Amino acid sequence: MSLPLPVTVIGGYLGAGKTTMVNHLLRNANGLRLAILVNEFGALPIDGDLIEAEDDDIISIAGGCVCCSFGSDLTGALMEMANLSPRPDHVLIESSGVAIPSAIVGSVSLLDGFRADGIVILADAETVQRSARDKYMSDTVLRQITDANIIVVNKCDLVTPQALNSTRDWLKSCNAAARIIDVRHGVVAPEAVLDSFLGHTATSGPFHHTEHLEMRVFTPDGPLDVDALAQKLADDASGLIRAKGFATAPSGQKMLIQVVGARWETSIAADDKADGIVCLGFKGIVADLGEWYHLLVSNQGPPDPQSGALTN
Amino acid sequence: MTATTIYSARKIITMNPSCPTATHVAVREGRILAVGSLAELETWGPYTLDARFADKVLMPGLVEGHAHTMEGTLWRYVYCGFFDRADPNGKVWDGVTTIDAMLDRLKAAEADMTDPDAPLSGWSLDPIYMDNVRVSRADLDSVSTTRPIGILHASGHILNVNTKALEMGGLLKEGLNHPGIPLGPDGLPTGELFGPDTMTPVGVHVGFNRSLTDSDAQGLRDFGKLCVRTGVTTITDLAARLEPEGVDSMLQVTGEDSYPACVVPLQLFMGATAQETVDKVVALKERATDRLRLGRIKAVADGSIQGFSARMRWPGYHNGAPNGLWYTAPEQLAELYRLALAAGVQVHTHTNGDEATEMALDMLEPALKDVPNFDHRFVLQHCQLADAAQFRRMGKLGMCVNLFANHHFYWGDEHYRLTVGPERAQRMNACRTALDTGVPMAIHSDAPVTPLGPFFTAWCAVNRLTASGRTQGEHEKIAVDEALYAITLGAAYTLHMDGEVGSIEVGKNADFAVLEDDPTEIGAANLKDVRVWGTVQGGRIFAKADL
Ligand SMILES: [Zn+2]
């Protein structure tokens, strides 16, 4: 049985730059097959040079990626994706500007064979606060922001550093649990928004570095409370945006850990997986992971101060 | 010279104030040559006198400005509604007033089925008339455990299914955590599915999939029969997807010599950009025929009031439910309006809550300044909660409204008690205010949401009775003649068709509702009971008895 297909919802109000970001992800797919589902074709013009073929329902994109429009039938479109051969590695749902992302995640959660990987909301650094005060859209925009696991603040180059800080503070006040990443022109580290990228780059490289993000591989060298570890990784203080990998429970059971912002999940994994968790976070903050790892293991069993070395 | 037929009638109600009633109407080439006395009509030359309507009352063929052809298709499923309702073949199905009665009807239908795997589907269930009793999958399992069963509620927003259907849809499992899927004590879904997201995965196994909104050939023919039975000769299909095969099929069916109505399908604005939608509709307009009037757009601003998905202004829902959902962003609606105004394409916009109405008005006003279009007649559909100030604005902006008069009867009590509270419930579907503020108005059934039948719709607007028998909103009542205007010329005006249909006068289509009773004499309280003999559409005669 194949692993459930990860699904990321990309939301945010009109004009936030969802289209640009999706095109950027496609350009840097690096061998991953992405399936893009959009509410409406016209709203997501995949850059012309990426399009290989177009038929009524599906646009084929360079590198085995596809894009299809679901109109109002998201469930039907997801089923179609699951039946594609070869199967995509990751599904991105670009939701409409008025959609409530958690409702889309709710629908995804009903379907066997899919796993909601997280909600990434784009916010326009210049206009997001204004949209959040709009006569009609205020509550919708706020619901989108509070639904986010990761908020990508786009168009950061168009505002002053002070304005950017105040926007970030405001976003934090709306949604303290979300990780906030600043970008320009939708250029986000793919590993930061998509779980599949993280696993992919960890094994195959090259890693997509940006100015303020870094990736570490963290290898616990013995069994531990996997839920406690995942919870810790998801803590805001960890400085992590996402993490993915394997660890061994005290029972000896191999477990998969997946962390997106403050959201974490553990599930049973195959025994042949080697322990190791790929962590992506903000530069300078991730380095402290060793500290709390020691605390974690010292709280639960035979402490070994040398274990849990962080390697680059 | 082509043949002229003069029909004599007990009375002809023309809706033309120059000649409000007459005894004879002359028809030539499917159009009205003249109306008046026989002596007046004889001046047009040789004719054949046809006395078949001598004891009937003729009215202009009725115009239903908001319905869905899907009603024709749904009648192939088991009717589970609370109120008596006539099917396309004229059989009146008793309303089912208890869950046991519904289960008995389903069992009877199940016994007649030959394919053991075929789904059993029902429609129009409405437990609000049964003390909001909940239907469980165990109830439906008593009908069958081996074939999937699904019953769609009248609102269209809830689906009840049996265990087999849940299993086929992949939802018979523990650990589901979704607000639209209530769980039983066993941790498994109870079989009630709320909202399209939860309905879709199971719906496809019980006959309710997306394409149901595009009625197939048989559905469209059955829909035509319902038109004849209710005196309707012009009818909308208000939210069509208009896929190429669907358009071909509609062109073919409505082109059949025996097809009794003019169908006006509106392209739904969804899944394509404003520009693509307008371009598509401009192209479709070229393919329009006399009986398939392509070339209009339907946009949806918000959801429904009883589903708490309509967008409300302050103070919001009476029971404190959070505000509803936008289905289209203001910028998208504004763009659609601009492009459609420029292309001369009419847009009808679904707004239920008063905030959605306000948004549509706010988007149209600047668009009209940029792209003046003096006779755009953009229509707000449902527009159930608009207040007087909004109607005044609609009037100034040249908008029309099509109010959901039937809704007031079926769900008025619910709105009074739960959704909007007493004061706003009084003003819902404010026909009086619309007319007083100069907004051209139609009233509608939204069939299949409520039954097709313009005389019933007129009765609702005139009497404003709710299902429990209360008069709700005395002030918003309209007079019988105003209601009759709304279901003929009023509705025709909202479709830019008032020059062709909606009244009996020279040059217009020979479209008549042929009646046994005189709606102007029967009395306001009895308006819904006007008996329909059949229709004449484009000069072709359709007797209910011959369907
Ligand atoms: Zn409708």
Side-chain angles (χ1 to χ4, degrees):
Chain A
M1 195 193 87
S2 48
L3 281 173
L5 196 48
V7 178
T8 297
V9 177
I10 297 186
Y13 198 56
L14 301 172
K18 289 174 291 194
T19 297
T20 318
M21 187 177 90
V22 167
N23 275 290
H24 164 73
L25 293 173
L26 286 168
R27 283 188 190 286
N28 295 280
N30 197 20
L32 275 186
R33 284 186 304 274
L34 302 181
I36 320 287
L37 266 52
V38 291
N39 251 163
E40 43 198 274
F41 256 147
L44 183 80
I46 301 288
D47 291 346
D49 61 310
L50 290 172
I51 297 175
E52 283 182 342
E54 226 174 311
D55 76 23
D56 269 359
D57 297 323
I58 291 190
I59 294 180
S60 301
I61 304 167
C65 303
V66 295
C67 174
C68 88
S69 162
F70 64 83
S72 57
D73 187 12
L74 176 62
T75 303
L78 279 171
M79 310 278 218
E80 210 174 307
M81 288 301 115
N83 293 330
L84 273 186
S85 175
R87 211 170 85 118
D89 297 307
H90 202 117
V91 178
L92 301 185
I93 300 174
E94 203 232 61
S95 63
S96 83
V98 293
I100 305 300
S102 52
I104 297 178
V105 165
S107 311
V108 171
S109 72
L110 299 179
L111 300 173
D112 284 331
F114 295 92
R115 181 179 66 77
D117 181 52
I119 296 172
V120 177
I121 295 295
L122 265 97
D124 182 323
E126 268 193 308
T127 62
V128 64
Q129 282 179 274
R130 192 162 68 232
S131 304
R133 286 191 306 268
D134 181 82
K135 178 178 177 189
Y136 296 115
M137 284 301 130
S138 171
D139 60 325
T140 304
V141 169
L142 287 171
R143 276 167 87 176
Q144 291 172 348
I145 290 170
T146 50
D147 277 352
N149 302 116
I150 292 172
I151 300 174
V152 175
V153 184
N154 197 13
K155 309 188 188 178
C156 289
D157 48 330
L158 301 182
V159 297
T160 63
Q162 294 88 328
L164 181 58
N165 272 334
S166 100
T167 298
R168 289 178 57 102
D169 289 347
W170 175 80
L171 287 167
K172 208 72 194 162
S173 74
C174 298
N175 182 349
R179 304 297 189 261
I180 301 177
I181 306 173
D182 307 335
V183 306
R184 298 167 192 184
H185 310 297
V187 178
V188 65
E191 297 84 355
V193 289
L194 300 186
D195 157 273
S196 303
F197 269 105
L198 199 55
H200 190 65
T201 42
T203 52
S204 66
F207 173 56
H208 189 282
H209 279 280
T210 71
E211 305 153 34
H212 53 295
L213 298 182
E214 67 179 331
M215 181 166 66
R216 301 281 183 100
V217 179
F218 164 61
T219 314
D221 52 16
L224 78 176
D225 181 337
V226 177
D227 281 1
L229 173 64
Q231 202 170 351
K232 198 76 194 168
L233 292 168
D235 192 297
D236 199 24
S238 75
L240 294 184
I241 296 165
R242 41 171 82 236
K244 181 184 188 176
F246 300 95
T248 307
S251 65
Q253 174 66 55
K254 198 65 82 175
M255 301 293 290
L256 170 66
I257 294 178
Q258 292 173 103
V259 177
V260 185
R263 178 185 146 128
W264 60 271
E265 199 180 328
T266 59
S267 53
I268 288 171
D271 282 339
D272 58 350
K273 301 290 183 191
D275 281 5
I277 297 145
V278 188
C279 302
L280 181 80
F282 296 104
K283 221 168 226 173
I285 305 180
V286 188
D288 296 337
L289 280 177
E291 284 288 307
W292 61 255
Y293 174 68
H294 296 146
L295 285 173
L296 183 71
V297 288
S298 65
N299 284 345
Q300 63 169 337
D304 177 359
Q306 297 314 307
S307 71
L310 281 168
T311 47
N312 258 319
Chain B
M1 193 164 150
T2 46
T4 301
T5 305
I6 294 182
Y7 296 98
S8 59
R10 184 170 108 218
K11 182 177 182 183
I12 301 173
I13 302 167
T14 68
M15 294 287 157
N16 171 9
S18 301
C19 172
T21 60
T23 54
H24 291 76
V25 58
V27 174
R28 182 190 288 174
E29 296 171 14
R31 303 169 76 178
I32 296 163
L33 178 66
V35 58
S37 65
L38 185 59
E40 288 168 328
L41 270 50
E42 279 178 326
T43 63
W44 283 95
Y47 63 91
T48 311
L49 186 66
D50 189 327
R52 75 176 80 198
F53 302 139
D55 63 341
K56 310 287 186 241
V57 174
L58 300 187
M59 261 188 75
L62 307 180
V63 181
E64 170 53 272
H66 185 150
H68 303 272
T69 54
M70 178 181 153
E71 162 118 24
T73 316
L74 283 174
W75 276 109
R76 303 210 288 271
Y77 297 164
V78 181
Y79 177 63
C80 298
F82 185 84
F83 299 93
D84 299 354
R85 189 153 168 170
D87 73 14
N89 295 315
K91 174 175 175 174
V92 177
W93 292 80
D94 294 337
V96 293
T97 54
T98 63
I99 296 304
D100 284 339
M102 177 184 81
L103 295 174
D104 286 345
R105 182 170 290 175
L106 289 168
K107 282 170 192 164
E110 209 270 343
D112 286 343
M113 294 174 76
T114 47
D115 177 353
D117 300 321
L120 175 61
S121 317
W123 64 291
S124 208
L125 173 63
D126 205 339
I128 67 166
Y129 306 114
M130 308 174 198
D131 292 325
N132 283 309
V133 60
R134 311 282 289 263
V135 180
S136 70
R137 63 189 161 91
D139 292 327
L140 296 178
D141 287 347
S142 74
V143 178
S144 174
T145 53
T146 53
R147 76 165 80 243
I149 302 175
I151 314 296
L152 187 67
H153 286 222
S155 67
H157 297 292
I158 306 174
L159 183 67
N160 275 108
V161 298
N162 69 343
T163 303
K164 179 71 184 175
L166 273 180
E167 188 189 319
M168 291 174 76
L171 293 186
L172 192 66
K173 57 187 176 191
E174 291 179 32
L176 288 172
N177 177 18
H178 192 290
I181 305 185
L183 303 178
D186 56 358
L188 295 171
T190 61
E192 293 174 293
L193 304 171
F194 294 82
D197 299 340
T198 65
M199 285 159 57
T200 313
V202 185
V204 296
H205 299 289
V206 291
F208 296 107
N209 51 22
R210 289 287 313 159
S211 60
L212 190 68
T213 55
D214 314 341
S215 66
D216 54 13
Q218 190 196 330
L220 194 55
R221 287 188 194 103
D222 285 344
F223 189 64
K225 290 182 181 178
L226 286 167
C227 290
V228 172
R229 293 186 185 284
T230 52
V232 172
T233 53
T234 302
I235 191 155
T236 48
D237 183 17
L238 213 78
R241 298 195 302 173
L242 298 178
E243 309 278 359
E245 322 81 68
V247 174
D248 291 345
S249 163
M250 287 181 111
L251 282 167
Q252 190 224 315
V253 171
T254 57
E256 290 164 1
D257 288 341
S258 57
Y259 200 77
C262 169
V263 177
V264 185
L266 275 68
Q267 169 68 49
L268 186 60
F269 175 46
M270 182 176 278
T273 61
Q275 185 71 60
E276 288 165 343
T277 306
V278 170
D279 290 348
K280 176 180 176 189
V281 167
V282 166
L284 280 173
K285 226 176 187 175
E286 295 293 310
R287 301 183 67 193
T289 63
D290 282 351
R291 289 204 287 277
L292 191 71
R293 303 295 292 266
L294 296 155
R296 293 166 181 80
I297 294 173
K298 157 90 172 286
V300 179
D302 68 341
S304 75
I305 302 167
Q306 74 271 34
F308 299 100
S309 52
R311 289 293 309 194
M312 308 285 284
R313 290 188 301 184
W314 192 88
Y317 287 104
H318 189 236
N319 70 344
N323 209 346
L325 300 171
W326 293 110
Y327 286 32
T328 305
E331 290 89 333
Q332 290 171 316
L333 201 59
E335 188 192 4
L336 177 71
Y337 285 170
R338 266 193 185 76
L339 294 169
L341 286 168
V345 171
Q346 192 193 28
V347 179
H348 293 235
T349 307
H350 159 125
T351 68
N352 257 320
D354 52 359
E355 192 187 24
T357 295
E358 188 83 356
M359 192 272 268
L361 292 169
D362 278 355
M363 295 306 120
L364 184 61
E365 189 170 334
L368 271 172
K369 283 177 185 148
D370 287 358
V371 192
N373 183 324
F374 300 108
D375 194 20
H376 61 82
R377 300 191 202 180
F378 280 18
V379 182
L380 292 182
Q381 290 284 353
H382 300 325
C383 198
Q384 297 202 75
L385 273 170
D387 67 8
Q390 291 180 325
F391 278 107
R392 287 190 285 270
R393 247 184 114 189
M394 284 176 231
K396 293 287 185 203
L397 293 177
M399 298 194 89
C400 307
V401 72
N402 192 345
L403 296 168
F404 197 172
N406 286 22
H407 194 96
H408 200 78
F409 172 79
Y410 287 104
W411 289 289
D413 292 317
E414 197 78 348
H415 293 315
Y416 185 93
R417 191 175 62 76
L418 191 68
T419 63
V420 301
E423 185 183 343
R424 287 178 295 177
Q426 306 276 349
R427 77 152 195 249
M428 284 183 80
N429 297 296
C431 295
R432 176 81 271 140
T433 301
L435 294 180
D436 288 352
T437 51
V439 182
M441 181 193 77
I443 48 181
H444 67 267
S445 67
D446 201 10
V449 177
T450 75
L452 179 64
F455 286 114
F456 176 79
T457 303
W459 174 86
C460 289
V462 166
N463 296 285
R464 289 187 69 91
L465 286 172
T466 64
S468 71
R470 287 185 308 113
T471 300
Q472 189 162 289
E474 182 69 37
H475 168 72
E476 295 294 350
K477 286 181 175 177
I478 57 173
V480 170
D481 58 340
E482 291 169 319
L484 296 179
Y485 186 91
I487 60 175
T488 53
L489 262 182
Y493 185 89
T494 66
L495 299 171
H496 272 291
M497 290 175 71
D498 51 317
E500 302 157 60
V501 301
S503 63
I504 301 179
E505 54 187 305
V506 58
K508 287 193 153 184
N509 290 358
D511 288 4
F512 311 131
V514 183
L515 312 173
E516 307 281 3
D517 305 301
D518 180 348
T520 63
E521 300 284 333
I522 197 167
N526 305 318
L527 199 50
K528 64 178 166 47
D529 303 321
V530 170
R531 289 168 300 160
V532 175
W533 175 90
T535 59
V536 177
Q537 202 273 343
R540 300 167 306 147
I541 297 167
F542 299 96
K544 205 167 88 173
D546 297 342
L547 289 175

